């Protein structure tokens, strides 16, 4: 890629970026939020068209105007959010969009899938429906899908975001097999320890510009962070000792069913203390989302469930079970919630940052007119403190990158001065520098006596940040462990219930 430039209005996403991808290597692409990593790879995979610049494949200049052009050039991208049809089988998803002019022989497709799996160490059941698959199986299917279509260059966007350590190890083993077979792999990730473990070379972008590349064996996480940010950054997550612990939320026998009557939470019990950070670990879909939404009054809980809340400055307890979010707010419960779905539940994409701040405060005023001054001041403070990159204060938030949208959401909830702060994947999609800013903000809340419940996907962060960790597996509590003494592999086993089976 030579002098690739891409702009969105006045925002320059990529500015004359030059990037080489070598045959038979694993290249890590690093950069802060808004640095242009995903935009650059989207141009290589045919989703965006560059404003200027050239792309050469095998020494020949090419024009990539669509994903089909990219596939014809043997380039495939595995996106962070999977592009699969849940009601179809693995084989049907793989063949979808190919061979439109003739009948599809699924037996031959299954045979080809088995051949690819045997070659690289994958496990894919061709006739299994996608909706019956785990997150790891879906990701494997996405990789097999692009290999089936002949990809020699594979781009993986945050591939380990929702995997356990054991699943990550298996993925890395497969990636090494693909590299040995001559495939070129680009991995976009924010996890520096994974960069050091899997990649041969690291390329760094900063604010849309190419900073440079370096052999992984010749660098370290501190140097890479400094290259990303442009100045020295301390990489140690602070974890102050909990002081003056108090019971803030006592959950007993919490049970939640989905619309089909399937138990998403099965008699979950724990206590969240003010002055500590309680981590929640689990494979994606283990009930983390339902747990936080039930506490926030967004899920209907089953009879027998109890959630007793005690305010920071009171001895009086309030039962949250059976109440909706508006009832909970009217009762004076000071809780804040950073949901997993940024734009579907957290923010309104068509509204500006100040207007999204006002969603929190519009009911506080006594006048018939809404107070716009306070939320604008809050918006300016969040933009400054979290270094939000935005086309303008009045621009719709949907025009910002995912990481910057996340900054606005987290900043708004922390600014609400809660007694109970619940965060679902608070640093998902955030660069390392901003992630540490969020960790610092959470620790400040902890020091002020706030009960922080932190649902995370990075076990290394959970083990460094949290005082205790609640581990969920298939909607049940498989363990509550000490974040200071537990090992990552032990948490991974609890996440898959293997820990309990071994003990038995």
């Amino acid at each position: 890629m030579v002098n690739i430039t891409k702009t969105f209005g006045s925002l320059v996403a990529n500015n004359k970026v030059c990037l080489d991808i070598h045959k038979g290597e694993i290249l890590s692409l690093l950069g802060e939020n808004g640095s242009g990593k995903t935009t650059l790879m989207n141009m290589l995979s045919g989703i965006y068209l560059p404003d200027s610049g050239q792309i050469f494949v095998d020494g020949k200049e090419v024009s990539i105007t669509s994903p089909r052009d990219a596939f014809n050039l043997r380039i495939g991208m595995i996106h962070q959010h999977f592009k699969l049809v849940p009601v179809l089988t693995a084989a049907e998803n793989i063949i979808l969009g190919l061979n439109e002019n003739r009948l599809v022989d699924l037996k031959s497709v299954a045979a080809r899938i088995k051949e690819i799996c045997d070659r690289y160490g994958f496990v894919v059941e061709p006739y299994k429906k996608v909706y019956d698959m785990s997150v790891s199986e879906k990701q494997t299917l996405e990789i097999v899908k692009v290999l089936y279509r002949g990809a020699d260059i594979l781009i993986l966007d945050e591939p380990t975001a929702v995997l356990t350590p054991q699943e990550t190890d298996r993925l890395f083993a497969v990636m090494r097999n693909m590299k040995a077979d001559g495939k070129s792999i680009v991995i976009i990730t924010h996890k520096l320890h994974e960069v050091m473990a899997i990649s041969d070379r690291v390329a760094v972008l900063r604010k849309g510009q190419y900073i440079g590349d370096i052999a992984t064996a010749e660098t370290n996480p501190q140097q890479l962070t400094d290259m990303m940010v442009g100045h020295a950054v301390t990489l140690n997550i602070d974890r102050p000792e909990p002081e003056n612990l108090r019971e803030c939320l006592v959950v007993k026998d919490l049970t939640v069913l989905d619309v089909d009557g399937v138990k998403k939470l099965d008699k979950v019990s724990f206590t969240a203390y003010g002055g500590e950070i309680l981590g929640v670990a689990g494979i994606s879909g283990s009930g983390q989302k339902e747990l936080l939404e039930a506490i926030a009054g967004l899920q209907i809980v089953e009879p027998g469930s109890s959630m007793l809340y005690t305010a920071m400055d009171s001895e009086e307890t309030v039962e949250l079970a059976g109440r909706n979010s508006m009832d909970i707010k009217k009762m004076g419960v000071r809780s804040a919630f950073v949901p997993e779905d940024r734009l579907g539940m957290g923010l309104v994409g068509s509204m500006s940052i100040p207007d999204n701040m006002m969603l929190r405060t519009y009911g506080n005023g006594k006048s018939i007119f809404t107070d716009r001054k306070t939320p604008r001041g809050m918006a300016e403070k969040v933009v400054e403190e979290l270094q939000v990159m935005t086309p303008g204060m009045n621009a719709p938030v949907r025009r910002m990158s995912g990481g910057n949208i996340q900054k606005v959401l987290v900043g708004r909830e922390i600014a609400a001065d809660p007694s109970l702060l619940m965060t679902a994947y608070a640093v998902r999609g955030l660069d390392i520098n901003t992630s540490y800013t969020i960790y610092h903000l959470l620790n400040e809340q902890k020091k002020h006596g706030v009960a922080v419940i932190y649902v995370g996907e990075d076990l290394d962060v959970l083990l460094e940040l949290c005082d205790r960790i609640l581990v969920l597996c298939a909607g049940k509590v498989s363990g509550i462990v000490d974040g200071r003494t537990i090992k990552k592999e032990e948490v991974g086993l609890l996440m898959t219930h293997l820990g309990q089976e071994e003990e038995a």
Side-chain angles (χ1 to χ4, degrees):
M1 305 183 80
V2 180
N3 292 327
I4 298 294
T5 297
K6 180 65 179 177
T7 60
F8 298 95
S10 60
L11 182 66
V12 181
N14 293 124
N15 186 12
K16 295 185 178 179
V17 173
C18 297
L19 180 71
D20 293 331
I21 300 172
H22 303 153
K23 182 178 175 63
E25 75 160 358
I26 298 176
L27 172 69
S28 287
L29 192 57
L30 285 178
E32 290 189 281
N33 296 121
S35 61
K37 308 181 299 297
T38 301
T39 300
L40 187 67
M41 291 298 100
N42 279 339
M43 285 185 281
L44 193 57
S45 61
I47 294 174
Y48 291 152
L49 193 64
D51 297 338
S52 61
Q54 300 167 287
I55 298 175
F56 296 86
V57 177
D58 293 332
K60 297 179 182 177
E61 185 173 357
V62 297
S63 175
I64 305 176
T65 61
S66 69
R68 185 175 289 276
D69 288 344
F71 275 123
N72 290 338
L73 292 166
R74 298 183 176 273
I75 300 170
M77 185 167 179
I78 295 89
H79 299 270
Q80 188 174 356
H81 302 290
F82 306 137
K83 313 296 183 186
L84 299 170
V85 181
V87 296
L88 298 183
T89 65
E92 289 166 343
N93 268 280
I94 285 172
I95 203 67
L96 193 64
L98 301 177
N99 304 312
E100 298 94 336
N101 298 322
R102 62 183 176 85
L103 290 174
V104 176
D105 180 6
L106 286 178
K107 283 188 178 180
S108 64
V109 174
R112 174 68 178 137
I113 291 171
K114 186 178 185 304
E115 181 185 325
I116 293 171
C117 290
D118 291 344
R119 185 170 187 172
Y120 298 114
F122 290 111
V123 177
V124 171
E125 297 179 39
Y127 301 113
K128 188 174 184 178
K129 298 280 189 182
V130 169
Y131 59 67
D132 287 328
M133 294 183 181
S134 67
V135 174
S136 176
E137 288 176 309
K138 291 176 184 176
Q139 185 178 71
T140 301
L141 175 56
E142 284 280 25
I143 297 173
V144 172
K145 187 168 75 173
V146 298
L147 289 173
Y148 186 96
R149 298 173 185 220
D152 288 330
I153 300 172
L154 289 86
I155 305 161
L156 283 73
D157 191 1
E158 300 282 354
T160 64
V162 289
L163 301 184
T164 66
Q166 290 84 355
E167 289 169 337
T168 298
D169 290 342
R170 285 196 291 271
L171 174 63
F172 284 180
V174 169
M175 288 170 64
R176 292 186 182 101
N177 290 340
M178 290 193 291
K179 181 182 82 168
D181 196 42
K183 303 294 185 185
S184 303
I185 302 170
V186 181
I187 176 173
I188 302 172
T189 179
H190 293 290
K191 301 177 182 179
L192 291 175
H193 64 282
E194 293 182 356
V195 171
M196 302 303 297
I198 191 63
S199 63
D200 302 300
R201 192 163 54 95
V202 187
V204 180
L205 297 180
R206 188 197 310 150
K207 295 181 180 178
Q209 295 189 318
Y210 181 71
I211 300 303
D213 68 284
I214 188 169
T216 308
E218 298 172 5
T219 188
N220 56 66
Q222 185 66 60
Q223 182 184 5
L224 293 174
T225 304
D226 296 347
M227 288 177 68
M228 280 195 297
V229 179
H231 56 80
V233 175
T234 303
L235 286 181
N236 294 321
I237 299 178
D238 186 28
R239 178 163 50 188
E241 288 290 334
E243 295 181 1
N244 304 318
L245 292 179
R246 60 172 186 84
E247 287 187 355
C248 176
L249 184 70
V250 180
V251 176
K252 288 184 180 178
D253 295 331
L254 177 60
T255 302
V256 174
L257 307 182
D258 66 11
V259 291
D260 298 320
V262 177
K263 283 186 180 178
K264 304 303 288 186
L265 293 175
D266 188 2
K267 292 190 175 182
V268 169
S269 299
F270 66 92
T271 300
Y273 294 94
E276 77 160 2
I277 298 179
L278 174 66
V280 181
I283 299 170
S284 180
S286 293
Q288 304 96 311
K289 175 176 179 286
E290 289 78 11
L291 175 62
L292 296 193
E293 289 183 2
I295 298 169
L298 301 172
Q299 288 272 0
I300 297 173
V301 302
E302 292 303 296
S305 302
S306 174
M307 296 181 288
L308 290 175
Y309 166 85
T310 307
M312 193 182 298
D313 49 4
S314 172
E315 296 297 323
E316 183 181 349
T317 60
V318 177
E319 178 61 72
L320 304 184
R323 303 180 186 275
N324 61 37
S325 56
M326 188 57 72
D327 292 337
I328 291 172
K329 183 177 181 181
K330 288 177 180 177
M331 289 161 55
V333 175
R334 287 165 48 206
S335 64
F337 178 32
V338 178
E340 181 178 5
D341 189 353
R342 297 168 187 161
L343 290 178
M345 184 182 291
L347 302 172
V348 179
S350 59
M351 292 169 61
S352 66
I353 300 177
D355 285 349
N356 270 287
M357 295 291 167
M358 193 166 63
L359 292 176
R360 256 276 186 190
T361 62
Y362 73 92
N364 296 345
K366 294 181 174 58
S367 168
I368 60 170
F369 299 105
T370 52
D371 173 18
R372 291 186 170 273
K373 187 175 181 181
T374 302
R376 187 166 189 89
M378 188 190 301
E380 290 171 349
K381 184 178 180 183
V382 168
V383 168
E384 181 181 354
E385 290 186 358
L386 298 184
Q387 298 180 338
V388 178
M389 293 182 64
T390 172
M393 196 64 78
N394 295 318
V397 295
R398 66 164 179 259
R399 290 177 58 188
M400 299 188 296
S401 69
N404 283 297
I405 292 171
Q406 186 77 342
K407 291 181 192 180
V408 172
L409 178 56
V410 173
R412 183 189 71 185
E413 295 305 303
I414 289 178
D417 190 27
S419 289
L420 172 64
L421 173 61
M422 300 175 288
T423 67
Y425 311 107
V427 297
R428 176 180 282 176
L430 297 184
D431 57 72
I432 190 72
N433 193 34
T434 309
S435 295
Y436 276 79
T437 301
I438 299 298
Y439 303 147
H440 173 72
L441 290 173
L442 295 179
N443 273 317
E444 286 299 306
Q445 296 296 302
K446 168 183 166 180
K447 290 176 185 176
H448 293 151
V450 175
V452 180
I453 301 178
Y454 178 89
V455 174
E457 57 202 1
D458 189 332
L459 286 186
D460 293 286
V461 170
L462 281 165
L463 293 172
E464 282 191 64
L465 177 69
C466 302
D467 301 294
R468 292 183 303 135
I469 301 173
L470 168 73
V471 186
L472 291 176
C473 180
K476 295 183 178 181
V477 176
S478 57
I480 300 176
V481 297
D482 188 330
R484 289 171 169 77
T485 58
I486 193 76
K487 293 181 180 178
K488 182 167 75 169
E489 290 71 23
E490 294 173 308
V491 177
L493 290 174
L494 286 172
M495 288 166 64
T496 54
H497 257 319
L498 294 177
Q500 288 188 350
E501 290 171 7
E502 287 184 357
E503 289 173 8

